[in-house]
Amino acid sequence: MNVNKINGVLGSYPSNSSPIKPNSTNIKDEVKISKDAWNKIETAKTISLVKGSPEVRAKEVALAKQNLEKYFENGALKESVANEVADKIIDDLIV
């Protein structure tokens, strides 16, 4: 049935041909998303993750830096720390 508006009055009349074929099995829905759109989606997900994560606490960062300075010097493990670790490994192997 088709419905049309004629001169401000709605009218209807039967239609023999239907644009919808209910028994059609070859119909496939498909969506193509550009790489730019995917990048924007991933960026939005990342921003959402960051916003949902807990804030960085300056006190904990300072403690981590202090521990790094305690065990490392110029980007390498301090010799005293390396010797202490080596001694513990030797002690564990002997016992």
Side-chain angles (χ1 to χ4, degrees):
M1 177 190 301
N2 291 330
V3 178
N4 294 324
K5 185 175 182 182
I6 303 171
N7 294 329
V9 178
L10 287 176
S12 66
Y13 57 93
S15 173
N16 292 337
S17 63
S18 174
I20 301 173
K21 297 179 182 178
N23 294 332
S24 179
T25 57
N26 295 332
I27 297 174
K28 292 183 180 180
D29 290 334
E30 196 173 286
V31 175
K32 293 184 179 181
I33 300 175
S34 68
K35 288 183 181 180
D36 186 43
W38 274 117
N39 289 338
K40 288 180 181 180
I41 290 169
E42 291 300 320
T43 302
K45 285 181 184 178
T46 303
I47 289 171
S48 176
L49 262 170
V50 170
K51 285 184 177 180
S53 65
E55 292 185 27
V56 176
R57 293 182 224 135
K59 187 177 180 181
E60 290 183 15
V61 171
L63 179 62
K65 284 183 180 180
Q66 183 181 11
N67 285 335
L68 286 172
E69 289 170 358
K70 182 177 175 183
Y71 298 111
F72 290 88
E73 185 174 50
N74 297 328
L77 195 60
K78 287 184 178 180
E79 188 176 345
S80 60
V81 175
N83 289 336
E84 188 177 329
V85 170
D87 289 342
K88 287 183 179 182
I89 292 172
I90 290 170
D91 289 344
D92 285 345
L93 290 174
I94 293 173
V95 174

